[in-house]
Amino acid sequence: MNIRAMAVQDTDQVLCMMRVFYDSPAVLHKAPNTILLQDIADCVGECPFIEGYIFEEDGQIAGYAMTAKSYSTEYGGLCIWVEDIYIKPAFQGRGIGKAFLEHLEEQYRGRAVRFRLEAEDENQHAIHLYSKQGYQKLPYVQMTKEV
């Protein structure tokens, strides 16, 4: 399994995977293609706040992930948010999600003080994976305001 940076030539395949992900119960907000294309463009462009990753197995794209960066005043340093993580059904159960989370920890060792992610209650498979990797549920109520 290979984890690499997302590239412009991945746009069509990533958009297809994002469409499946964003149309699933795993995501509350059903983003339009214009937003998803902007996300991809920012991942492969110069935006310093988001990074895109491609998972490859046997020469095929098996999935993608996107992470965002913020500062945690609670922990005094860089926080990496796992915004999206999607693995095609044919590649699920092969340890790709676990490998990606370990990859992130290695990539940001000594630089990040916290990793965060969100999961819908229905996605118990993902929650189980995250728990096994040391992630814990937070008691916070998250609130948002779109502008």
Side-chain angles (χ1 to χ4, degrees), residues 90-114:
F91 295 94
Q92 292 175 2
R94 298 185 187 186
I96 294 172
K98 177 182 182 215
F100 175 65
L101 295 174
E102 290 172 350
H103 173 82
L104 279 182
E105 286 188 32
E106 182 60 32
Q107 178 180 347
Y108 286 101
R109 186 172 316 284
R111 296 188 299 146
V113 297
R114 191 175 209 192

Side-chain angles (χ1 to χ4, degrees), residues 30 33 57 68 77 80 104 123 127 129-130 132 142-143:
K30 307 303 181 200
N33 282 0
E57 190 165 288
I80 304 298
L104 279 182
N123 198 350
I127 291 170
L129 166 67
Y130 304 146
K132 283 176 56 175
Q142 283 200 341
M143 299 172 69

Side-chain angles (χ1 to χ4, degrees), residues 1 26 48 127 137:
M1 206 272 296
I127 291 170
K137 287 186 179 181

Side-chain angles (χ1 to χ4, degrees), residues 2 95 100 115:
N2 181 43
F100 175 65
F115 294 91

Side-chain angles (χ1 to χ4, degrees), residues 12-147:
D12 291 342
Q13 287 193 62
V14 172
L15 179 62
C16 287
M17 291 184 287
M18 290 182 82
R19 190 73 275 149
V20 171
F21 180 63
Y22 277 84
D23 289 342
S24 78
V27 180
L28 291 177
H29 182 72
K30 307 303 181 200
N33 282 0
T34 53
I35 296 292
L36 303 182
L37 286 167
Q38 183 63 55
D39 295 341
I40 296 166
D42 287 340
C43 281
V44 301
E46 299 299 318
C47 184
F49 306 113
I50 188 165
E51 295 176 335
Y53 300 87
I54 296 294
F55 313 139
E56 293 176 321
E57 190 165 288
D58 300 326
Q60 298 179 348
I61 292 181
Y64 81 96
M66 292 181 181
T67 61
K69 299 174 185 174
S70 68
Y71 188 91
S72 172
T73 57
E74 190 175 5
Y75 285 83
L78 179 64
C79 178
I80 304 298
W81 284 80
V82 179
E83 288 286 335
D84 291 11
I85 183 167
Y86 175 80
I87 300 163
K88 293 177 180 178
F91 295 94
Q92 292 175 2
R94 298 185 187 186
I96 294 172
K98 177 182 182 215
F100 175 65
L101 295 174
E102 290 172 350
H103 173 82
L104 279 182
E105 286 188 32
E106 182 60 32
Q107 178 180 347
Y108 286 101
R109 186 172 316 284
R111 296 188 299 146
V113 297
R114 191 175 209 192
F115 294 91
R116 287 186 73 165
L117 51 78
E118 298 172 346
E120 287 298 310
D121 283 333
E122 296 90 23
N123 198 350
Q124 286 298 309
H125 180 75
I127 291 170
H128 180 72
L129 166 67
Y130 304 146
S131 295
K132 283 176 56 175
Q133 292 303 116
Y135 287 77
Q136 301 172 8
K137 287 186 179 181
L138 290 174
Y140 295 113
V141 172
Q142 283 200 341
M143 299 172 69
T144 154
K145 178 181 178 181
E146 283 76 27
V147 292

